Amino acid sequence: MQQDIIIGLKKVPFLSQESDESINELSEHAKMAGFPKRTFIITEGDDTNCLFILLSGKVRVFSSD
């Protein structure tokens, strides 16, 4: 699974120029997760310290007034 994370990270345009060492270090803190359709992953106002990178599928973003 770690190798899948590394491969996925290398496909991200803003990470593609990073060294293998940097990608490997980042992958140690990463985890893969799957979500069913229409699942709220994060909502406005959530306190979070993470970055979500979509490797496949689609995402919709909503903003409340």
Side-chain angles (χ1 to χ4, degrees), residues 17-45:
Q17 300 300 315
E18 292 295 323
S19 68
D20 287 344
E21 182 180 336
S22 294
I23 294 292
N24 288 334
E25 185 175 335
L26 182 59
S27 74
E28 291 174 11
H29 301 281
K31 68 177 184 176
M32 293 184 78
F35 299 95
K37 286 184 176 182
R38 304 186 196 285
T39 299
F40 286 93
I41 299 170
I42 188 171
T43 58
E44 187 175 355

